[in-house]
Amino acid sequence: MQASNTNKPLIIGVSGGSGSGKTTIANKLIMELQDESIALIQMDSYYKKLDLPYEQRKKQNFDHPLSFDTDLLVEDLNKLKHLQSIEVPIYDFVDSNRTEQTKHQEPTDVILLEGILTLYDKRLRDLMDIKVFVDTDDDIRLIRRISRDVEERGYTLETVFSQYLDHVRPMYQQFIEPTKRFANLIVPEGGSNKVAIDLLTTKIKYLIQEKRNTN
């Protein structure tokens, strides 16, 4: 669904560690706001293309800020903010590389930007109307990551644990957790926090109506 008016869209940033429940919250917001024009953009789509053999790609640190093509993401969000359509990259997690395909995205009234480092770059934060950090215990996040990476991405347990100890945990401590200070709303325990989701939904609906009233 395209934007319903000429106002610039609301951009909601949803950040947090891997397995924190960011995607669950984003999907619940989409359900709550299904009568609105809304789109989900995942920062994972903007991983850089790697011209490396498969085994080397698997060993890359995908939790470091330099793994993302943030320049392109900022450019695309600016286009959407100015009611221009974009081509969102498509990332293949099994192959650990960006594909040649893209997904066409028209501007919408609400854009949810979800990812581990959505609050890290000031250029992204400056585009956001609401900044959310999903704060979930380390052990729960690790269990969720094991389930996802083994079942959906074909990783072995050894690879999952190695990535967690070498990349995920230190990058969370160094780059991701410190971005909590930029959040307007910190949501403990992810998608199971119904009160926080209700409050966030109410605030988004209020901002949408406020924009329409000033149009």
Side-chain angles (χ1 to χ4, degrees), residues 31-113:
M31 288 181 61
E32 294 292 331
L33 298 165
Q34 57 185 311
D35 293 332
E36 304 294 342
S37 166
I38 186 168
L40 172 63
I41 293 180
Q42 295 177 303
M43 194 172 184
D44 285 357
S45 298
Y46 288 81
Y47 276 123
K48 292 178 179 176
K49 185 171 180 61
L50 299 175
D51 295 320
L52 296 170
Y54 173 76
E55 290 303 323
Q56 290 186 36
R57 294 200 301 271
K58 282 284 190 181
K59 296 177 182 178
Q60 297 302 300
N61 184 352
F62 293 105
D63 291 72
H64 193 283
L66 292 179
S67 295
F68 295 92
D69 190 348
T70 307
D71 290 344
L72 178 60
L73 178 56
V74 170
E75 179 183 332
D76 281 354
L77 285 179
N78 269 305
K79 286 181 179 178
L80 291 173
K81 196 86 170 178
H82 291 87
L83 303 177
Q84 302 172 32
S85 63
I86 63 171
E87 295 297 323
V88 180
I90 294 177
Y91 190 83
D92 185 337
F93 287 97
V94 176
D95 193 47
S96 295
N97 215 351
R98 189 193 291 187
T99 70
E100 298 300 325
Q101 289 76 41
T102 60
K103 175 186 174 184
H104 186 74
Q105 178 63 60
E106 292 288 339
T108 55
D109 291 336
V110 180
I111 297 163
L112 296 175
L113 175 64

Side-chain angles (χ1 to χ4, degrees), residues 160-170:
V160 175
F161 288 135
S162 176
Q163 283 190 343
Y164 183 80
L165 293 174
D166 295 342
H167 299 158
V168 178
R169 188 171 182 270

Side-chain angles (χ1 to χ4, degrees), residues 22 26 35 39 78 83 150 176 182 215:
K22 303 179 300 299
D35 293 332
N78 269 305
L83 303 177
V150 171
I176 301 169
F182 300 120
N215 186 24

